Amino acid sequence: MEQALRNYAQNVDNVMLYIIGISFLLLLVITIAMVYFVIRYNRKKNPVASQIEGNKILEIIWIVVPVALVLTMFFYSESVYKVARNVPKGAMNVNVEAKMWQWKFTYENGKVTDTLFLPVGKPVKFNIVSADVNHSFYIPAFRIKEDAIPGRENYMVIEPKDVGAFDIACAEYCGLNHSLMYTKVFVVPENEFFAWYNGEVDNTYLQKFVLAHSGGYKDYITGNYALLFAKGCVQCHSLDGSKNYGPSFTELSRGYAKIRSNGKLETIPIDRDYIARSIISPGEHVVVGYEKAKMPLLTNRIRDEELTQIVDLLLTNFVKKSNEN
Amino acid sequence: MSNETNSATQLSYLDYKPKKGIWAWLLTTDHKRIGLLYLIGMMIFFWVAVGIGFVMKLEMLTPDQTVVDAQTYNSLFTLHGLIMIFLFIIPGLPAVFGNFFLPIQIGAHDVAFPRLNLLSWYLYIIGGLFALVSLHLQGGPIDTGWTFYVPYSIRTTTNVILPLLGAFILGFSSILTGLNFVTTVHRLRAPGMTFFRLPLFVWALYATAWIQVVATPIVGITILLVVIERVLHIGIFDPALGGDPLLFQHLFWIYSHPAVYIMILPAMGVVSEIIPTFARRTIFGYKVIAFSSLAIALIGYFVWAHHMFTSGMSETARFVFSLLTFLVAVPSGVKVFNWVATLYKGSIELRAPLIYILMFIFLFSIGGLTGLVLGSLATNVHVTDTYFVVAHFHYVMFGGTAIVFFAAMHYWFPKMFGKMYNEKIAIWATPFIFIGFNMLYFTMFILGYQGMPRRYWSYLPEYQELHIISTIGSWILIFGLVIMFSNLIFGLIKGRRADSNPWGGVTLEWQIPSPPPHENFEKIPVIDHGPYDFERFKNENKNEIDRS
Amino acid sequence: MEKEHKHNLIPYGTYFLVWLSLISLTVLTVSVAGVDFGRIALFLALTIAAIKSTLVINYFMHIKFDQPIFKFFLAVALATLATIFILTSTDVFFR
Amino acid sequence: MKSTEVEVVQEKIAEKQQEPSHSEHTHKDFFGAKIGMWLFLFTEMLLFGGLFLAYMVYRLQYSIDFVIAAQDLNLLLGTINTIILLTSSLTMALSIAAIQRGRKALSIFFLLSTIGFALAFLVIKYFEWTAKFHHGIYPNSPELLNKPNGEIIFYGLYYSMTGLHALHVVVGAILLLFMLLFLWRNKIHKEDYIKLENSGLYWHLVDLIWIFLFPLFYLIH
Ligand code: HEA
Ligand code: HEA
Ligand code: CUA
Ligand SMILES: [Cu+2]
């Protein structure tokens, strides 16, 4: 059951496949039969028609078989959908208020946002209300929506399976800016979420976190770069060369860093020492082009042995890689 | 029964003029003339709506503003939907071809209440004018969507009341037509024309007429309540005063779902006429088709809330309505299978009307089958209010009813006007329509499944490619349609004379001259056989058939 | 047609009887309304209303004496109404 | 009536149609007219059906508010109006019975009393409504808006349902006036009274609707 909610989107797609699959077969049979008959019994080939009035057995077949088919569709679909109407125990509550033309999310502790943040792998129940006209709270990636109707409270449950950023749209016509009533849901690991929930980090922190590695969630838990994710480095340093708040880690492969130290321009080789110093005393030298941006001091979140690990990791995976080439 | 002898004794309905000039039309009680009056009115409204659809597709070319602003777009799709539904597709087949051919097919001189029939037409025009006038009033054109959902429809400052009253009047027009047809079928059948000798078009119209009579009043009162709410603030639909928006949705769909069967049933009837004629054989499973019309009318009543699966209805209602929705698909399926079976061992002549019908079967099946996706709870909740729905209903309404409308125009053209259109050109238009149609609307299924909501003036850039394909499709489609219409209009002016039975049909309308005389029948025929008895007909009129 | 009408001549007295029953039912329903029947009060009132309308339809509106087709028609309309109420109940009674 | 008889009738009608006739048929189809009328009545029934449905939904939602609000309605006037309408139905039926027997004067008398009752009904309704207005209870009045939502809805339904019903009474009365004229001029007579019969059907429908409105609004306790 718990799995079912987590895999809800996948299950919906399966229902879709099932119905479309059967439909496609039926359509194929009908079309082929139709075209074949038109060619085969063309007036030239078949000048005299046979007056067949009907065939009881055939007609019963094509009443009974479709009934059976649609019943399988119904029960399959219903069994999948039931999960989405069942509020799991311990689900987190988020109040959703729709208003022309924006969303307001209120969390259990009273925190209010216009962008939704959710922990991964935890069921959430949305209590959906509207302040003015009908709206519909729609998260396409989760294959689910529920209307926001003034004067009533509707609910919807989801359980995010992956870290990532997903669109939230308004799917019930609500006037002028109906089509602009978009926002996003950011699904983040539980500890990041609670750091945010308890006010330790802000919205942008989570947003950056997600944006930095959309699609790379697996790496986060198990992969090589687990530590970089865990410590939040990827918020600012991408792993693929794309530009972000800080220089991409791939930049380390230059081998030399152009830096500004106490106002002077310098070029120094990237080595174990350089990397370690960048982390433990960020302000000491600043990479050219990033003078305005600042790397925060993260030592309180990094233990010594972790620091060595990080430096090793960066050395072997980014700095060394280039040396080999 | 050759043309010449008859026209000597009886004037055709086009030549028979009891009154002077335009009044011969505006005050006519002849069901055939009223049918044509409807056709003309419908043409005008219809092309307005098509133009709007075209502009909407232009707007969809780019994610942001292309040709119109958001407010205009919102009004455009509302008007497009309103006109297409209330002024074109609901009255469509019954009011034009039903009026024209129902009395002839049952062997009657006219409908039961000819003057009421004319009144229906006037109501139709007045209702349409209400909608058109509202465009030019202060406040601007209505922007609620054709569904008028409250509370938006009681909050918006645009002109809502006038179009609503227009829809109310149109509803009455529709009720009166339905009432007229039910009575006609019960009272004016020719001697020997038992219920099971009725042509299937008549069966379909009969079932439709019942829906019109018992479903339309519900939307009538609903609309009135919205008007009263806007004027007097009685609270029934205003959540601020305790009203329940879901009640509105129930009331609206109690009518508007059956209304979709008002749209499709007559079309299905036409299909059951055209296929036997061109296959030269009796329909496969006459009774099953006749009863499935009634079944659709009946079950069609039980499924309305499948438009409300995400509205916050009770779980019980979601369950019940989804189940019932699946069941309503079965009688439609039966019809499709029976039609295809009617082609089996026929002697098929592939003329333009039949080509349109084949196209219909394909497109309607797609539309109907995706209706199953919508009826299923799990998938509906994802695709409701997205372009998937838009694709679905264009497939069934346009690919279904409107395509049959084209087929009917070709099929009955020689009978109605006594002229012939150019067959080659008529056939040439079909591939454009087919390809354009699928490009235009199939893409919308994909868009919808990807999560693009409907009634969106702007959209996320990732949807743009599909929208471009779709818009190009709309150009191809319109090109095909223009060919088709020009061909018909040209046929009207310059076409060669058609004889009384160009296709070799056997229902009663083919037994009288083209165009039909004012009184339809000199002498009411006596019927002693089923409607599609080609065997018998062949023996009686050997020459007639060989000629075509 | 004319013969049919003669067929249906209903004595004035019948109408008076029906009227009397209608009035007494009205008096009944009003006087009963004061009594506290709890939950079945509404049910009771509606049953009385239903009986009254059956009388009106059957006698005043001649359904009882008319051709069967009218009964059939009426059944269709009433079934429609019933359907609407029952199916809407699946929502409002289970919210 | 047995089905064979129906067939006989139908055949007769069919025969009539066979006679070469013109589109203004000289023979009237009474049966057809009645079918048409009944179908129309069904649309009226469903029109009100929509309102009754709304009533059901709100009564369920606001049952207590409804009881409170209903206390303010005048049960006596409601009862009197019920009796008036029932009686008018009686005179209507009698009027038809009279013309069936060819008694024009009697028919006119009964019809006149029906119209009289209709007027009486409207007058009482008028007093009822104005009394409410004086107490400041009408749609969107500040007084009403102060009350709980359930009561607002109750009065919303009350005014729209009894209002629409009153409208039907007015239309019915006008219709009956025309019938009076036809009776007077012998357009309606023993052999052809379908118009009167159909108007009667309409009038009974108006009564029928009131039969349900009455307990639903006046008898809630
Ligand atoms: C002509 C009009 C028409 C017709 C005929 C239909 C037919 C059907 N429709 Fe459609 N529908 C609309 C017009 C129509 N619809 C419109 C206008 C809307 C949107 C309104 C709005 O919101 O603006 C809509 C919306 C709509 C919804 C709501 C979507 C949403 O907003 O969430 C649903 C949900 O169940 C639905 C279902 C169906 C079904 C099951 C059928 C069935 O009747 C289809 C039956 C046909 C087939 C199934 C195909 C042929 C059969 C076979 C090939 C044989 C095999 C069959 C089986 C295995 C069963 N429709
Ligand atoms: C019969 C119904 C019908 C028809 C034919 C059409 C035709 C078209 N529709 Fe339709 N459409 C609706 C009914 C219809 N539409 C409805 C009900 C809605 C919902 C509105 C709402 O959300 O409230 C809608 C919404 C809708 C949208 C979604 C808007 C949104 O959600 O943002 C779009 C998007 O592009 C669109 C496009 C088009 C186009 C390009 C055409 C056409 O222009 C394509 C070209 C067609 C032709 C050129 C002619 C076809 C000819 C005939 C059908 C018969 C001719 C007969 C006579 C002249 C008598 N329509
Ligand atoms: Cu909010 Cu659409
Ligand atoms: Cu529907």
Side-chain angles (χ1 to χ4, degrees):
Chain A
M1 212 55 177
E2 270 157 35
Q3 282 299 315
L5 184 57
R6 174 169 304 186
N7 292 328
Y8 182 70
Q10 183 59 50
N11 293 341
V12 171
D13 288 348
N14 291 343
V15 175
M16 180 77 180
L17 271 181
Y18 180 72
I19 298 178
I20 291 290
I22 292 182
S23 301
F24 183 74
L25 285 180
L26 283 169
L27 184 68
L28 208 65
V29 171
I30 289 169
T31 313
I32 290 177
M34 192 167 80
V35 173
Y36 173 76
F37 290 161
V38 169
I39 296 170
R40 169 66 187 77
Y41 299 111
N42 191 281
R43 177 125 338 143
K44 290 208 190 76
K45 288 196 191 134
N46 194 33
V48 180
S50 322
Q51 304 296 329
I52 306 167
E53 303 236 312
N55 180 328
K56 283 257 153 51
I57 299 173
L58 259 182
E59 286 169 49
I60 289 173
I61 289 180
W62 62 54
I63 291 175
V64 173
V65 171
V67 170
L69 278 178
V70 293
L71 284 182
T72 63
M73 292 177 191
F74 168 73
F75 284 107
Y76 181 23
S77 170
E78 145 77 6
S79 72
V80 167
Y81 181 61
K82 217 167 42 196
V83 175
R85 299 305 296 165
N86 205 342
V87 185
K89 276 204 199 76
M92 185 177 112
N93 275 285
V94 178
N95 294 334
V96 178
E97 189 189 74
K99 204 159 70 190
M100 282 168 164
W101 293 276
Q102 61 205 17
W103 298 98
K104 189 168 118 190
F105 304 102
T106 313
Y107 296 81
E108 276 166 0
N109 68 352
K111 215 173 159 76
V112 174
T113 58
D114 55 4
T115 315
L116 184 60
F117 297 98
L118 295 176
V120 69
K122 223 175 139 21
V124 191
K125 176 181 178 226
F126 299 105
N127 306 304
I128 306 166
V129 297
S130 162
D132 38 43
V133 298
N134 300 347
H135 303 267
S136 189
F137 182 59
Y138 180 29
I139 319 180
F142 290 75
R143 306 284 186 266
I144 199 159
K145 66 167 75 72
E146 189 78 17
D147 293 358
I149 309 277
R152 10 179 336 118
E153 182 178 302
N154 287 341
Y155 74 94
M156 168 173 128
V157 283
I158 62 167
E159 184 178 324
K161 185 172 147 197
D162 295 307
V163 170
F166 309 97
D167 294 317
I168 294 176
C170 175
E172 184 65 66
Y173 177 66
C174 54
L176 187 63
N177 288 335
H178 164 57
S179 62
L180 305 178
M181 204 166 147
Y182 265 112
T183 183
K184 271 200 180 327
V185 47
F186 291 92
V187 178
V188 296
E190 206 165 337
N191 49 348
E192 306 293 332
F193 175 79
F194 282 106
W196 170 84
Y197 191 62
N198 299 325
E200 289 160 23
V201 296
D202 62 359
N203 292 356
T204 35
Y205 174 85
L206 289 193
Q207 290 172 356
K208 293 248 165 68
F209 180 93
V210 170
L211 292 179
H213 66 281
S214 22
Y217 178 60
K218 285 236 173 52
D219 290 344
Y220 168 75
I221 334 177
T222 52
N224 284 340
Y225 307 124
L227 212 52
L228 297 181
F229 281 100
K231 296 300 163 192
C233 315
V234 286
Q235 309 284 297
C236 303
H237 304 282
S238 78
L239 301 172
D240 56 2
S242 54
K243 236 176 120 67
N244 206 338
Y245 192 66
S248 170
F249 281 137
T250 54
E251 302 259 313
L252 294 171
S253 60
R254 302 184 299 269
Y256 285 88
K258 261 192 173 169
I259 55 161
R260 200 183 285 275
S261 173
N262 297 327
K264 276 189 300 175
L265 273 174
E266 276 179 50
T267 303
I268 59 169
I270 293 178
D271 54 10
R272 180 174 289 276
D273 181 51
Y274 168 81
I275 294 175
R277 272 193 297 132
S278 303
I279 301 169
I280 49 180
S281 54
E284 188 185 324
H285 50 59
V286 178
V287 181
V288 174
Y290 290 87
E291 289 86 348
K292 292 229 176 81
K294 261 229 186 109
M295 162 137 173
L297 183 64
L298 293 165
T299 39
N300 57 341
R301 295 182 65 194
I302 305 175
R303 278 168 283 144
D304 284 352
E305 66 268 24
E306 283 171 343
L307 182 66
T308 357
Q309 279 171 21
I310 289 176
V311 175
D312 283 343
L313 202 148
L314 288 178
L315 269 177
T316 45
N317 286 297
F318 295 96
V319 184
K320 286 273 168 60
K321 224 173 218 159
S322 64
N323 295 350
E324 281 159 16
N325 293 344
Chain B
M1 249 194 224
S2 77
N3 234 345
E4 297 77 57
T5 48
N6 258 317
S7 47
T9 53
Q10 269 182 302
L11 277 175
S12 102
Y13 79 102
L14 290 171
D15 302 323
Y16 176 80
K17 291 202 181 73
K19 300 190 184 65
K20 279 224 179 81
I22 186 96
W23 298 114
W25 285 92
L26 290 183
L27 292 178
T28 181
T29 53
D30 182 354
H31 63 102
K32 299 181 287 300
R33 288 196 166 204
I34 295 177
L36 287 194
L37 285 178
Y38 268 112
L39 185 62
I40 294 165
M42 223 163 265
M43 282 273 208
I44 295 168
F45 291 124
F46 173 75
W47 279 102
V48 173
V50 166
I52 296 174
F54 179 73
V55 176
M56 280 154 64
K57 272 327 308 180
L58 275 188
E59 174 56 40
M60 288 289 108
L61 265 179
T62 63
D64 293 317
Q65 176 158 349
T66 318
V67 284
V68 295
D69 61 20
Q71 184 61 37
T72 315
Y73 183 78
N74 292 348
S75 297
L76 286 183
F77 71 69
T78 304
L79 291 170
H80 170 81
L82 276 178
I83 296 179
M84 284 297 188
I85 298 239
F86 290 111
L87 286 165
F88 169 59
I89 203 164
I90 287 183
L93 284 160
V96 177
F97 296 105
N99 253 327
F100 203 108
F101 289 107
L102 177 110
I104 303 184
Q105 285 196 331
I106 65 173
H109 290 302
D110 206 324
V111 292
F113 310 113
R115 270 174 297 177
L116 201 65
N117 204 10
L118 184 64
L119 177 66
S120 302
W121 183 75
Y122 274 103
L123 289 179
Y124 170 78
I125 295 294
I126 294 172
L129 288 182
F130 265 54
L132 288 187
V133 166
S134 77
L135 303 186
H136 305 290
L137 294 186
Q138 200 149 33
I142 180 172
D143 68 339
T144 59
W146 82 279
T147 46
F148 310 124
Y149 272 16
V150 297
Y152 187 74
S153 58
I154 55 175
R155 297 269 167 88
T156 176
T157 53
T158 53
N159 270 306
V160 174
I161 292 181
L162 220 48
L164 279 178
L165 290 178
F168 183 81
I169 294 171
L170 288 170
F172 251 87
S173 159
S174 176
I175 289 176
L176 294 183
T177 306
L179 185 156
N180 217 337
F181 283 3
V182 173
T183 316
T184 307
V185 171
H186 274 283
R187 299 302 298 159
L188 299 185
R189 280 170 288 125
M193 178 66 90
T194 60
F195 261 85
F196 287 117
R197 287 181 187 157
L198 288 177
L200 287 164
F201 182 50
V202 177
W203 266 101
L205 285 172
Y206 181 71
T208 310
W210 267 107
I211 314 182
Q212 284 174 306
V213 169
V214 292
T216 320
I218 304 274
V219 81
I221 190 65
T222 313
I223 285 175
L224 270 191
L225 283 176
V226 175
V227 173
I228 297 175
E229 183 71 65
R230 267 185 87 93
V231 179
L232 297 177
H233 307 282
I234 49 173
I236 292 182
F237 287 145
D238 189 349
L241 302 179
D244 182 1
L246 287 200
L247 175 67
F248 172 87
Q249 299 187 14
H250 276 300
L251 287 170
F252 181 82
W253 291 114
I254 286 175
Y255 164 72
S256 295
H257 182 81
V260 310
Y261 297 114
I262 296 180
M263 306 170 198
I264 200 70
L265 273 174
M268 291 169 153
V270 174
V271 176
S272 310
E273 293 294 308
I274 295 183
I275 291 186
T277 298
F278 290 97
R280 278 285 186 282
R281 54 156 286 185
T282 181
I283 191 108
F284 188 93
Y286 172 87
K287 281 200 181 172
V288 179
I289 296 191
F291 281 125
S292 65
S293 288
L294 294 184
I296 292 176
L298 187 76
I299 313 178
Y301 237 103
F302 302 160
V303 304
W304 74 80
H306 64 206
H307 297 270
M308 301 167 57
F309 283 150
T310 60
S311 65
M313 291 195 294
S314 77
E315 310 306 323
T316 323
R318 294 181 204 214
F319 184 95
V320 170
F321 279 103
S322 172
L323 181 61
L324 291 171
T325 299
F326 275 108
L327 295 184
V328 82
V330 175
S332 305
V334 168
K335 287 197 189 230
V336 171
F337 293 130
N338 276 341
W339 291 326
V340 174
T342 304
L343 292 172
Y344 175 69
K345 292 212 170 159
S347 172
I348 299 167
E349 189 182 17
L350 199 59
R351 305 290 286 267
L354 186 61
I355 297 181
Y356 281 103
I357 292 302
L358 299 181
M359 194 148 93
F360 158 84
I361 293 182
F362 183 78
L363 298 178
F364 173 74
S365 294
I366 295 184
L369 291 165
T370 50
L372 298 175
V373 174
L374 291 171
S376 127
L377 283 166
T379 42
N380 176 287
V381 169
H382 173 43
V383 295
T384 180
D385 269 315
T386 66
Y387 263 72
F388 195 93
V389 178
V390 178
H392 158 73
F393 66 67
H394 281 99
Y395 265 86
V396 278
M397 293 203 295
F398 193 171
T401 311
I403 295 284
V404 171
F405 200 99
F406 303 156
M409 285 203 298
H410 287 87
Y411 180 61
W412 278 314
F413 188 86
K415 178 56 62 185
M416 292 169 84
F417 304 110
K419 301 249 179 96
M420 214 37 203
Y421 54 83
N422 184 320
E423 175 84 8
K424 274 222 181 73
I425 299 179
I427 292 178
W428 261 105
T430 53
F432 291 104
I433 295 179
F434 186 77
I435 293 169
F437 184 95
N438 284 300
M439 268 174 81
L440 171 56
Y441 295 118
F442 201 83
T443 40
M444 292 190 185
F445 281 124
I446 306 171
L447 279 170
Y449 205 77
Q450 288 178 350
M452 154 115 198
R454 63 191 277 209
R455 297 174 172 173
Y456 261 31
W457 164 73
S458 87
Y459 53 86
L460 300 178
E462 61 246 43
Y463 301 128
Q464 190 175 8
E465 273 172 36
L466 287 171
H467 271 300
I468 291 177
I469 298 178
S470 165
T471 304
I472 294 174
S474 79
W475 299 339
I476 301 177
L477 173 65
I478 289 182
F479 179 69
L481 289 168
V482 169
I483 299 183
M484 186 200 78
F485 270 104
S486 329
N487 183 36
L488 287 179
I489 290 171
F490 192 76
L492 202 60
I493 304 166
K494 281 260 165 76
R496 68 173 167 81
R497 278 196 63 80
D499 56 41
S500 66
N501 193 357
W503 318 121
V506 293
T507 38
L508 284 179
E509 77 269 30
W510 302 113
Q511 319 308 323
I512 58 174
S514 308
H518 171 64
E519 283 276 297
N520 299 347
F521 303 95
E522 246 178 322
K523 193 165 182 302
I524 294 289
V526 177
I527 312 297
D528 57 1
H529 55 89
Y532 308 110
D533 197 344
F534 282 87
E535 207 63 55
R536 195 194 108 96
F537 187 76
K538 204 167 73 188
N539 300 336
E540 275 185 9
N541 304 277
K542 208 154 189 79
N543 310 335
E544 194 89 18
I545 278 194
D546 291 346
R547 208 168 19 131
S548 68
Chain C
M1 279 279 106
E2 291 79 41
K3 204 179 77 201
E4 226 176 286
H5 285 143
K6 296 217 176 75
H7 233 72
N8 296 348
L9 278 191
I10 303 161
Y12 295 117
T14 315
Y15 289 128
F16 271 109
L17 278 180
V18 171
W19 176 75
L20 266 183
S21 348
L22 286 171
I23 298 293
S24 22
L25 281 169
T26 309
V27 173
L28 178 73
T29 190
V30 172
S31 48
V32 144
V35 189
D36 186 14
F37 279 108
R39 306 208 85 218
I40 63 159
L42 176 66
F43 177 74
L44 215 68
L46 286 181
T47 315
I48 292 178
I51 298 173
K52 281 163 77 177
S53 46
T54 322
L55 285 174
V56 171
I57 291 174
N58 269 324
Y59 291 92
F60 286 169
M61 297 171 97
H62 296 160
I63 274 284
K64 190 161 186 263
F65 314 103
D66 255 326
Q67 313 227 359
I69 189 146
F70 289 109
K71 295 194 187 92
F72 169 72
F73 275 14
L74 188 67
V76 172
L78 290 180
T80 311
L81 263 178
T83 309
I84 291 168
F85 275 81
I86 292 170
L87 283 177
T88 310
S89 314
T90 62
D91 179 15
V92 292
F93 277 83
F94 292 91
R95 269 185 196 159
Chain D
M1 189 180 268
K2 289 189 206 87
S3 64
T4 49
E5 279 174 81
V6 177
E7 274 166 25
V8 172
V9 172
Q10 282 185 351
E11 259 163 43
K12 258 180 106 179
I13 292 159
E15 274 166 28
K16 276 183 190 164
Q17 283 174 12
Q18 277 213 35
E19 299 156 12
S21 63
H22 298 279
S23 87
E24 317 300 310
H25 292 275
T26 38
H27 292 281
K28 279 195 190 159
D29 179 7
F30 297 132
F31 192 36
K34 215 160 159 188
I35 291 187
M37 190 64 203
W38 270 103
L39 290 172
F40 180 71
L41 294 189
F42 296 154
T43 68
E44 293 278 14
M45 273 163 63
L46 281 135
L47 194 83
F48 276 95
L51 283 168
F52 281 111
L53 190 72
Y55 180 93
M56 176 183 91
V57 170
Y58 289 127
R59 170 115 190 217
L60 204 68
Q61 195 176 345
Y62 299 112
S63 37
I64 294 169
D65 286 343
F66 267 41
V67 173
I68 297 170
Q71 304 310 313
D72 293 342
L73 292 186
N74 193 326
L75 178 58
L76 182 65
L77 290 185
T79 313
I80 292 176
N81 254 350
T82 309
I83 291 175
I84 286 179
L85 264 196
L86 287 175
T87 316
S88 77
S89 251
L90 171 71
T91 52
M92 187 68 236
L94 290 177
S95 169
I96 296 168
I99 199 69
Q100 277 177 337
R101 293 165 172 82
R103 301 183 57 181
K104 179 176 159 188
L106 193 61
S107 180
I108 289 184
F109 167 74
F110 281 130
L111 194 56
L112 265 175
S113 27
T114 311
I115 297 171
F117 285 125
L119 291 182
F121 178 89
L122 288 172
V123 168
I124 293 182
K125 200 84 241 157
Y126 171 79
F127 281 119
E128 238 189 305
W129 274 35
T130 41
K132 282 264 149 320
F133 279 32
H134 281 309
H135 288 94
I137 295 182
Y138 52 89
N140 215 23
S141 68
E143 180 101 7
L144 192 58
L145 290 183
N146 271 335
K147 300 197 173 219
N149 281 345
E151 296 194 35
I152 301 179
I153 299 275
F154 179 86
Y155 279 106
L157 284 168
Y158 170 75
Y159 279 115
S160 39
M161 289 174 88
T162 57
L164 196 63
H165 178 262
L167 196 69
H168 277 74
V169 174
V170 173
V171 172
I174 293 174
L175 201 67
L176 293 184
L177 274 177
F178 274 102
M179 293 308 123
L180 197 63
L181 196 72
F182 290 155
L183 260 178
W184 188 258
R185 292 207 183 146
N186 288 329
K187 285 235 176 101
I188 294 177
H189 49 82
K190 191 179 176 203
E191 305 301 332
D192 176 3
Y193 52 84
I194 184 69
K195 285 204 187 76
L196 186 64
E197 210 178 354
N198 275 348
S199 316
L201 286 177
Y202 183 83
W203 189 252
H204 295 307
L205 181 88
V206 172
D207 187 20
L208 268 184
I209 291 164
W210 184 259
I211 288 179
F212 283 93
L213 286 182
F214 175 61
L216 290 181
F217 283 106
Y218 293 85
L219 296 182
I220 318 182
H221 286 285

